[in-house]
């Protein structure tokens, strides 16, 4: 803390100027009890980027039937994967570990010039609270990294929306850069391919299923690039592995409501594979930067059960990149590119 140069002696001291790195993930309930789940689901399902139906049509249904029943089933799902020792969801545990690893690398590259923290789009720590804390700590510039390799309105865009809403409450706004999707970065694809090779340990399943989070098909027709970026990720992953065409299937999970979503649906596709005699599969989730309810419960629960019930025998889940060193390195390099001109990179100076 110090007074600005040439300021009067009674000017309040201000924190030294810094550049902030703010990492954002989807979010998590504070607990798996009914009211924690209801608060979280209400925030999540009230987001117009997630459900874009008119409020007069959607909110009565949400506040009535859905938020009366769904907190019980969702809470039970979260309880089955909860990190009871830490008292938090795995997504929170992993995101914190990712942030600490990036903070360590940032310290080595940029010293005290940068401050690294994370927020959640839904739940806590909220985007607004963390942004406010960073500004009060002296962050005059902020690089905002939504942890979504592929862009979608319901992921990257809504994270950016929340950041911009939080900025509206600030009298003195920092300069902000938002990080673009990184679905086709060579180092991201290489990290995915390496994770596949390590998990399979030389074994080659009959099929690798790349399961991405789904979205209504209508969003694709309205111009959302997510579907195309998922397809490209799968193709680049196959190329990096050196596998034949047809060895990797692109599917979509987590269907909600009666509207048609992107197809094929993962849960149906793995069952169909088993019925066709494909009894040895591996599943990877390239759209998730951290393991969460969709991977730890849905893929390893519902989707695995659908495959085995249809006659499948060998089901291998390949974990997300999480805080794997290669993942942390690529994210740090991605941040370095977006920090260019704002901070002095010690690596570049060597």
């Amino acid at each position: 803390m110090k007074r600005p140069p040439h300021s009067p002696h009674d000017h309040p001291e201000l924190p030294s100027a810094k550049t902030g790195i703010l990492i954002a993930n989807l979010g998590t309930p504070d607990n798996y009890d009914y009211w924690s789940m209801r608060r979280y689901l209400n925030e999540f399902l009230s987001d117009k980027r997630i459900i874009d139906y008119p409020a007069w049509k959607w909110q009565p249904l949400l506040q009535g039937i859905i938020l009366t029943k769904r907190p019980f089933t969702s809470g039970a799902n979260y309880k089955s994967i909860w990190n009871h020792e830490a008292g938090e969801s795995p997504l929170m545990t992993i995101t914190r570990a990712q942030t600490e690893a990036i903070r360590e690398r940032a310290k080595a590259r940029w010293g005290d010039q940068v401050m690294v923290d994370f927020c959640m789009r839904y739940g806590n720590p909220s985007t607004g609270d963390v942004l406010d804390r960073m500004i009060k700590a002296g962050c005059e510039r902020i690089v905002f990294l939504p942890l979504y390799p592929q862009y979608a309105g319901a992921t990257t865009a809504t994270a950016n929306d929340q950041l911009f809403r939080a900025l509206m409450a600030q009298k003195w706004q920092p300069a902000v850069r938002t990080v673009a999707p990184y679905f086709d970065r060579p180092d991201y694809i290489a990290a995915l391919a390496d994770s596949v090779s390590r998990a399979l340990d030389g074994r080659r399943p009959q099929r690798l299923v790349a399961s991405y989070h789904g979205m209504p098909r209508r969003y694709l027709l309205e111009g959302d690039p997510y579907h195309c970026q998922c397809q490209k990720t799968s193709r680049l992953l196959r190329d990096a592995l050196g596998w034949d065409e047809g060895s990797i299937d692109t599917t979509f999970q987590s269907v909600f409501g009666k509207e048609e979503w992107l197809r094929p649906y993962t849960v149906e596709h793995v069952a169909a594979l088993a019925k066709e005699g494909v009894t040895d599969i591996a599943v990877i989730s390239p759209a998730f930067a951290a393991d969460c309810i969709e991977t730890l419960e849905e893929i390893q629960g519902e989707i695995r059960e659908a495959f085995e019930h249809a006659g499948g025998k060998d089901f291998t889940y390949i974990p997300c990149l999480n805080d794997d060193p290669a993942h942390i390195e690529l994210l740090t390099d991605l941040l370095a590119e977006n920090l260019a001109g704002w901070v002095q990179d010690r690596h570049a100076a060597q």
Side-chain angles (χ1 to χ4, degrees), residues 254-275:
S254 307
V255 177
F256 178 80
K258 297 181 179 180
E259 187 173 0
E260 182 181 1
W261 283 42
L262 297 176
R263 290 182 179 273
Y265 300 155
T266 305
V267 67
E268 295 178 357
H269 185 73
V270 298
L273 286 176
K275 292 175 182 178

Side-chain angles (χ1 to χ4, degrees), residues 116-228:
V116 182
D117 212 333
F118 76 94
C119 65
M120 297 294 183
R121 168 59 183 89
Y122 313 103
N124 296 305
S126 72
T127 305
D129 286 348
V130 180
L131 176 70
D132 188 63
R133 181 166 67 242
M134 295 182 82
I135 292 174
K136 288 178 178 176
C139 292
E140 298 179 357
R141 299 165 172 167
I142 291 178
V143 171
F144 185 66
L145 171 60
L147 284 177
Y148 305 110
Q150 300 81 18
Y151 174 96
T155 54
T156 309
T158 192
N160 289 339
D161 289 346
Q162 195 71 353
L163 173 68
F164 300 143
R165 275 190 288 266
L167 286 167
M168 291 172 65
Q170 295 294 330
K171 292 291 186 184
W172 187 356
Q173 294 178 333
V176 171
R177 292 174 178 171
T178 59
V179 177
Y182 52 95
F183 66 97
D184 56 355
R185 280 182 64 99
D187 48 1
Y188 165 65
I189 299 299
L192 282 180
D194 186 58
S195 73
V196 172
S197 299
R198 289 200 314 270
L200 296 179
D201 193 23
R203 187 177 65 83
R204 177 79 173 267
Q206 290 174 273
R207 200 71 55 87
L208 175 62
V209 177
S211 180
Y212 298 82
H213 198 287
M215 68 162 53
R217 183 173 181 273
R218 172 171 52 87
Y219 292 8
L220 166 64
L221 302 178
E222 291 171 351
D224 195 300
Y226 177 70
H227 179 266
C228 299

Side-chain angles (χ1 to χ4, degrees), residues 3 34 49 68 84 129 148 154 175 210 212 225 236 277 309 339 344:
R3 287 193 299 271
Y34 176 83
R49 291 280 195 179
T68 297
H84 294 278
D129 286 348
Y148 305 110
Y212 298 82
L236 292 173
H309 182 73
L339 285 166
Q344 179 64 42

